[in-house]
Amino acid sequence: MRLTADADPALWIPVTDSLGWKGRRHRKAAIRMLLGQANTALGATERPGSRFGAWVMSQAAPALMKRADGRVLVWTWKADPELVVAMATAQELTPEIRIARASMPMDYDDTQSFPTRLGAGEKLVVAMPESPTAPPFTTYTWDTGTHLITLTAIGNERERFGTLSGALDDLARSIRISDDLTGGETPGVLRLPPA
């Protein structure tokens, strides 16, 4: 299953399609922010090699994204790439994933209905996590029956994260499944652009 989205280019920079030099500054900033949030959540301080590590990962990211073949889409906020990173994923709904979703803590049951073209979805906003080291995040999920489609946005600043709510909702509404249709006479695949 492949995902596609119509992210507003005035607001979002796609990390997924930023191969090579194109978008490397935003890709590196997004990875640096995520590494910083992981370090903070684990109680570690930033190490001197963290910037180098972010650079190395930013160079490997395009190959990993290409290998994901449309199952992962990532964006950063254009005005401030380290403010928020949004990542959409499509996972096959295996019994293990269903069990993991059913076993989530009660804190994650405070969801709102969020219907889109993907079906009846759910939205969970945690702008002020209980732990002071945890980053603010918003998660949108859709269960298609065979796949779990998720958009997760992780913020860097609690105070400014809530200002992105409308833009995140618009991004979530633009996500859809990109169907591959066989062309009939030729063995290739015909990809139709979004309507």
Side-chain angles (χ1 to χ4, degrees), residues 103-174:
S103 303
M104 291 177 79
M106 292 298 286
D107 302 350
Y108 295 101
D109 283 345
D110 191 20
T111 60
Q112 308 164 18
S113 176
F114 194 82
T116 66
R117 291 182 254 196
L118 295 171
E122 295 178 343
K123 174 183 173 182
L124 173 67
V125 179
V126 182
M128 294 290 188
E130 289 182 20
S131 169
T133 60
F137 68 92
T138 300
T139 302
Y140 303 81
T141 55
W142 298 269
D143 183 341
T144 67
T146 59
H147 287 78
L148 180 69
I149 299 174
T150 307
L151 172 67
T152 303
I154 300 175
N156 196 22
E157 298 177 28
R158 293 178 177 217
E159 299 79 22
R160 294 173 57 199
F161 187 71
T163 63
L164 304 175
S165 181
L168 287 170
D169 286 354
D170 291 343
L171 179 62
R173 285 186 191 97
S174 77

Side-chain angles (χ1 to χ4, degrees), residues 26-144:
H26 288 90
R27 189 171 61 235
K28 188 167 67 170
I31 291 170
R32 189 170 49 242
M33 188 275 275
L34 292 173
L35 286 175
Q37 290 293 354
N39 281 338
T40 303
L42 296 173
T45 57
E46 187 176 0
R47 296 172 185 86
S50 294
R51 289 190 178 275
F52 178 72
W55 178 82
V56 169
M57 289 179 73
S58 76
Q59 300 307 305
L64 295 173
M65 295 287 186
K66 191 169 186 169
R67 193 168 175 191
D69 192 31
R71 293 185 310 270
V72 177
L73 302 174
V74 182
W75 302 270
T76 62
W77 190 245
K78 186 173 186 175
D80 184 358
E82 293 191 37
L83 178 60
V84 67
V85 175
M87 180 169 65
T89 60
Q91 295 177 292
E92 187 176 347
L93 266 172
T94 62
E96 292 80 13
I97 290 178
R98 289 184 189 278
I99 291 169
R101 280 186 49 81
S103 303
M104 291 177 79
M106 292 298 286
D107 302 350
Y108 295 101
D109 283 345
D110 191 20
T111 60
Q112 308 164 18
S113 176
F114 194 82
T116 66
R117 291 182 254 196
L118 295 171
E122 295 178 343
K123 174 183 173 182
L124 173 67
V125 179
V126 182
M128 294 290 188
E130 289 182 20
S131 169
T133 60
F137 68 92
T138 300
T139 302
Y140 303 81
T141 55
W142 298 269
D143 183 341
T144 67

Side-chain angles (χ1 to χ4, degrees), residues 10-30:
L11 301 176
W12 299 100
I13 296 289
V15 175
T16 312
D17 298 327
S18 62
L19 302 174
W21 291 97
K22 179 185 170 196
R24 84 184 153 90
R25 182 175 64 87
H26 288 90
R27 189 171 61 235
K28 188 167 67 170

